[in-house]
Amino acid sequence: WRYQRWAADPLEFAQVVSGCAVRMLTRAGQAYALESSEPSPCGGPEPASAAEVVLAKKRLREGFIFVGITDDWDVSICLLHAVFGGDCLASDFVDANPGSNSSQSAYDLSELMGFTDAVDGALYKEAIAIFAEQSERYGVSLQTCQSCFQKALSSK
């Protein structure tokens, strides 16, 4: 954390880590937070630039063979097997590390007071586009994945 204290509220935290994914894909090595000698996993506290957003999208598109979407986990696993082969297994669909602070319900975003991470949002939109392109290329959809899901059930 860059201020050597806990975030005052979820909004402050969201603002500070805004663009973290873009910065991780575009900045070399570990950067250090402003008032700390601790490394920052987000590539430093400086906000991501428009050029970094373009570079992060390029690296995501050209540097990764597979892009899955955790919000669409089941189809992502099916696509993974379509790309790399292998049978779908029950363990592919198990949350092996749910943690103690997890929920099946939607998050309450009201504390963010309308804040959105436009920088990482742009990268996420690129990931969604890549996922859709790969799904189309490999003929993967919720409907076509039913055989994968059945194999997973039978592997229990």
Side-chain angles (χ1 to χ4, degrees):
W1 181 252
R2 85 202 260 191
Y3 299 119
Q4 295 196 356
R5 62 171 172 74
W6 291 104
D9 54 43
L11 177 59
E12 182 185 52
F13 180 82
Q15 290 168 332
V16 170
V17 299
S18 177
C20 184
V22 166
R23 291 181 281 153
M24 286 191 294
L25 283 172
T26 59
R27 297 185 183 174
Q30 289 186 332
Y32 290 84
L34 290 177
E35 293 104 10
S36 173
S37 61
E38 294 295 317
S40 167
C42 294
E46 300 81 20
S49 68
E52 286 177 311
V53 173
V54 170
L55 179 58
K57 288 179 178 182
K58 182 179 191 299
R59 287 184 173 168
L60 184 64
R61 187 165 285 280
E62 297 175 2
F64 293 84
I65 296 170
F66 169 79
V67 174
I69 304 295
T70 56
D71 291 344
D72 201 353
W73 183 264
D74 292 353
V75 175
S76 292
I77 292 298
C78 180
L79 177 60
L80 177 83
H81 286 287
V83 172
F84 295 109
D87 290 332
C88 292
L89 304 172
S91 60
D92 293 340
F93 301 96
V94 173
D95 185 353
N97 191 17
S100 61
N101 189 16
S102 61
S103 171
Q104 296 299 320
S105 59
Y107 293 106
D108 177 9
L109 301 177
S110 65
E111 293 182 79
L112 298 178
M113 300 185 312
F115 173 82
T116 58
D117 185 343
V119 174
D120 280 350
L123 184 62
Y124 184 71
K125 284 181 184 174
E126 187 73 8
I128 293 287
I130 294 166
F131 179 71
E133 292 163 14
Q134 289 180 331
S135 294
E136 186 174 328
R137 182 179 317 120
Y138 288 92
V140 169
S141 68
L142 189 58
Q143 184 63 32
T144 63
C145 288
Q146 294 307 307
S147 64
C148 169
F149 303 152
Q150 290 302 318
K151 283 180 186 172
L153 285 174
S154 67
S155 73
K156 282 186 169 183

